[in-house]
C-alpha cells in the first residue's frame, strides 16, 4: 500500500462562493506543518461581483495564497497591499498577531471574473510562533519551474525535486503545483516524513487505484510514489516534517499554546489587533468560539 489515508473535503459555503475544506479533517489534522488547506472555486462572477474576505486575525501561523485563475488583492496590518495573480505566491507570517483581508479588485469586478486557487495555513515552529508579523510577495517568474514529460511543475515553497524555492519558510516543507497536459507519470521521492497529493483537477492513478478531483492522498512514509494520469490533470504535492508539539486550532487561530489562543480571542473582541489600513470592516468573533 502506498496510500495511508484518503481525505475527502467538506464543502463550505462562504456566501458568494464555495470552498472545499480538506484540512483539518477527522482523518488527519496536519500534513507536516500544513494545518489548513482550502480549495476555493472554481467560481464565476458577473460584473460588479467578487470575493470579499473581510479583515480577520491570525496568530502563530503563516498563510500562503496560490491561484490557478483570477486575482485577489491582499491587505494586512503590516501595511502590505499586494495583488496576486496565478503562479505567484503571497506568504504572510502572522507570528504574534496580524490582521488581513483578501478581496477582488475594482478592476476585476468591472467584468466577468473567474477565480480558483488554494489557501493554506502553515503552523510555525515553537521557536518562531511569536515572531513579528511580516508579508512577502514572490512573482511567478522567481519560482523554480520545470518540465517532466507531460507534467509542468512549479515549486511554490520549500525544497523538492532537487530544487529550492526562494519563499522564506521557517521549517522543512515542500509544496509543488504539477499540471499535466496529457497522459504521463511523475514520481515523488520519500525525502520527507509526511507527504500528500491533492487532486485539484482531473483524475490520477496511484498503485492501481484511481482518485478523482477533490481527493487528498496521504502517502505512506519511506517509499517513492508514482502518480499516473491518462489525460490532463493537476495535483498539489505537499508535506514536511511533523512537529513534536501538538497544535491547537480555533477559528482563525493556530498555536501550540491554548492560553495564547484564548488571549487572542479576547484581543479580537476588544479590537486590540492592529487594523488593516484602508479596510476597517470588522468581523465579530463567532459565537461558537468561547
Amino acid at each position: 500500500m502506498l496510500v495511508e489515508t484518503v481525505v475527502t473535503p467538506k464543502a463550505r459555503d462562504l456566501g458568494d462562493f464555495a470552498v472545499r475544506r480538506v484540512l483539518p479533517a477527522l482523518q488527519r489534522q496536519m500534513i507536516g506543518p500544513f494545518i489548513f488547506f482550502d480549495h476555493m472555486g472554481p467560481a464565476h462572477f458577473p460584473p460588479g461581483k467578487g470575493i470579499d474576505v473581510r479583515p480577520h486575525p491570525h496568530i502563530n501561523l503563516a498563510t500562503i495564497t496560490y491561484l490557478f485563475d483570477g486575482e485577489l488583492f491582499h491587505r494586512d496590518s503590516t501595511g502590505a497591499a499586494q495583488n496576486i495573480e496565478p503562479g505567484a505566491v503571497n506568504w504572510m507570517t502572522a507570528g504574534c498577531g496580524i490582521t488581513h483581508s483578501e478581496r477582488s479588485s475594482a478592476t476585476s469586478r468591472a467584468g466577468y471574473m473567474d477565480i480558483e486557487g488554494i489557501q493554506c495555513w502553515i503552523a510555525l515552529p515553537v521557536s518562531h510562533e511569536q515572531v513579528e508579523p511580516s508579508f512577502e510577495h514572490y512573482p511567478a517568474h522567481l519560482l523554480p519551474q520545470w518540465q517532466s514529460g507531460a507534467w509542468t511543475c512549479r515549486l511554490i515553497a520549500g525544497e523538492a525535486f532537487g530544487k529550492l524555492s526562494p519563499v522564506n519558510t521557517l521549517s522543512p516543507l515542500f509544496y509543488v503545483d504539477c499540471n499535466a497536459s496529457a497522459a504521463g507519470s511523475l514520481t515523488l521521492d520519500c525525502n520527507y516524513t509526511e507527504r500528500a497529493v491533492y487532486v485539484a483537477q482531473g483524475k490520477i492513478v496511484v498503485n492501481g487505484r484511481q482518485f478523482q478531483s477533490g481527493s487528498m492522498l496521504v502517502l505512506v512514509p519511506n517509499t517513492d510514489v508514482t502518480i499516473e494520469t491518462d489525460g490532463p490533470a493537476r495535483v498539489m504535492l505537499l508535506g514536511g516534517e511533523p512537529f513534536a508539539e501538538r497544535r491547537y486550532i480555533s477559528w482563525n487561530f493556530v498555536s501550540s499554546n491554548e492560553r495564547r489562543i484564548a488571549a487572542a480571542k479576547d484581543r479580537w473582541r476588544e479590537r486590540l489587533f492592529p487594523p488593516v489600513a484602508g479596510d476597517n470592516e470588522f468581523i465579530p468573533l463567532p459565537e461558537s468560539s468561547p
Side-chain angles (χ1 to χ4, degrees):
M1 289 291 292
L2 299 178
V3 178
E4 181 181 283
T5 307
V6 179
V7 178
T8 303
K10 291 185 177 180
R12 298 292 180 96
D13 186 354
L14 301 185
D16 292 327
F17 70 106
V19 300
R20 285 174 274 180
R21 182 146 303 159
V22 186
L23 296 176
L26 289 176
Q27 304 99 315
R28 191 79 181 219
Q29 185 196 41
M30 300 175 69
I31 305 293
F34 289 80
I35 194 167
F36 182 93
F37 189 102
D38 258 9
H39 184 172
M40 61 179 176
H44 312 281
F45 295 96
K49 298 293 185 179
I51 287 178
D52 286 294
V53 179
R54 297 175 292 169
H56 59 279
H58 293 292
I59 63 165
N60 295 184
L61 58 81
T63 68
I64 180 166
T65 301
Y66 184 81
L67 297 180
F68 302 152
D69 193 14
E71 63 176 7
L72 279 174
F73 197 82
H74 166 100
R75 289 186 176 88
D76 68 44
S77 52
T78 71
Q82 175 66 54
N83 197 51
I84 183 170
E85 297 175 339
V89 166
N90 275 1
W91 180 280
M92 183 186 76
T93 302
C96 60
I98 200 168
T99 312
H100 80 124
S101 66
E102 287 181 312
R103 300 182 186 265
S104 300
S105 67
T107 302
S108 62
R109 292 176 197 263
Y112 288 94
M113 180 186 71
D114 296 333
I115 192 162
E116 184 178 9
I118 306 289
Q119 177 82 47
C120 293
W121 298 352
I122 312 293
L124 298 180
V126 168
S127 58
H128 290 80
E129 282 186 312
Q130 290 290 90
V131 296
E132 287 299 309
S134 61
F135 174 84
E136 294 172 282
H137 175 76
Y138 300 85
H141 72 269
L142 293 182
L143 304 178
Q145 182 171 306
W146 67 99
Q147 202 75 24
S148 180
W151 294 87
T152 300
C153 302
R154 177 179 283 118
L155 182 59
I156 300 169
E159 188 172 0
F161 295 95
K163 305 180 188 303
L164 179 66
S165 168
V167 175
N168 185 29
T169 66
L170 295 172
S171 62
L173 61 85
F174 73 101
Y175 189 27
V176 191
D177 172 19
C178 297
N179 199 357
S181 58
S185 63
L186 182 71
T187 298
L188 176 61
D189 60 30
C190 55
N191 289 347
Y192 294 88
T193 303
E194 296 185 351
R195 301 166 300 160
V197 179
Y198 177 69
V199 188
Q201 299 168 358
K203 59 186 178 181
I204 64 170
V205 173
V206 174
N207 199 32
R209 294 177 60 189
Q210 188 177 94
F211 300 92
Q212 302 286 341
S213 171
S215 301
M216 177 174 278
L217 289 53
V218 181
L219 306 177
V220 299
N222 305 318
T223 306
D224 292 355
V225 174
T226 298
I227 301 160
E228 299 175 297
T229 179
D230 60 5
R234 191 169 202 159
V235 298
M236 309 300 286
L237 310 178
L238 62 144
E241 298 307 313
F243 293 126
E245 313 84 5
R246 177 181 176 184
R247 288 303 184 275
Y248 301 93
I249 180 168
S250 181
W251 193 42
N252 295 313
F253 303 124
V254 166
S255 182
S256 63
N257 187 321
E258 285 187 286
R259 292 188 299 255
R260 199 177 289 153
I261 289 178
K265 290 179 179 181
D266 288 339
R267 285 167 58 198
W268 185 251
R269 286 189 191 97
E270 297 165 14
R271 303 198 179 194
L272 297 178
F273 268 80
V276 177
D279 194 347
N280 56 12
E281 192 173 356
F282 182 75
I283 299 177
L285 189 75
E287 293 181 9
S288 59
S289 297

